[in-house]
Amino acid sequence: MWITPSEVREYSDIQAVRERSDSKLNVDITRAQQYIIAYTHNDFSDFEEIPVSVKTAALILAEAYGHNANISAKGIKSETFDDYSYTAEDTAISADSLDLAALLDDYVIVKPNSGVTMRMRKL
């Protein structure tokens, strides 16, 4: 693993993430790593050490996955007082909203499309 559960706990300000068990945080970390590998098309096996920006992206994603797992377990909270009612729902964090491109774009491996490459020239 690129990061540890204790690193996620130390990074996170979200209490629910800090209280997650090591086994649950390991799942969050694995999901974060797989997202990064899929995004970059790079498994970082050629690197002696995982770059700091990639570790940072993994921390941010693991925290988001932990937060999302916690709120999906809680569900929607709704209360009614006399003639007044409200519904409160925590918002899930989308991986697209985390702006990880700035951290990961330097490590993206561009894969060629399988197919025919056509080159055109002016006649």
Side-chain angles (χ1 to χ4, degrees), residues 20 28-29 31-32 35 60-70 95:
R20 286 175 69 80
D28 299 334
I29 292 167
R31 289 181 65 201
Y35 178 93
I60 293 168
L61 266 173
E63 178 190 36
Y65 287 142
H67 171 72
N68 291 348
N70 185 54

Side-chain angles (χ1 to χ4, degrees), residues 11-121:
Y11 168 76
S12 183
D13 289 331
I14 302 170
Q15 189 62 31
V17 173
R18 298 180 85 163
E19 293 172 353
R20 286 175 69 80
S21 67
D22 282 357
S23 61
K24 289 182 179 182
L25 282 175
N26 280 329
V27 171
D28 299 334
I29 292 167
T30 301
R31 289 181 65 201
Q33 287 178 196
Q34 285 306 117
Y35 178 93
I36 291 169
I37 290 169
Y39 178 87
T40 61
H41 308 288
N42 188 347
D43 63 4
F44 299 93
S45 59
D46 296 339
F47 290 79
E48 287 183 30
E49 191 174 312
I50 301 299
V52 173
S53 61
V54 174
K55 284 185 176 185
T56 302
L59 277 172
I60 293 168
L61 266 173
E63 178 190 36
Y65 287 142
H67 171 72
N68 291 348
N70 185 54
I71 64 168
S72 68
K74 283 197 292 187
I76 298 175
K77 180 181 178 183
S78 179
E79 293 187 77
T80 304
F81 302 102
D82 296 329
D83 62 342
Y84 175 78
S85 68
Y86 75 93
T87 302
E89 180 180 10
D90 287 331
T91 306
I93 301 171
S94 166
D96 295 335
S97 70
L98 296 175
D99 195 28
L100 299 174
L103 296 168
L104 298 175
D105 280 353
D106 289 342
Y107 303 100
V108 172
I109 297 173
V110 178
K111 299 225 177 201
N113 293 338
S114 58
V116 177
T117 302
M118 185 183 328
R119 297 175 192 216
M120 299 179 73
R121 63 182 174 88

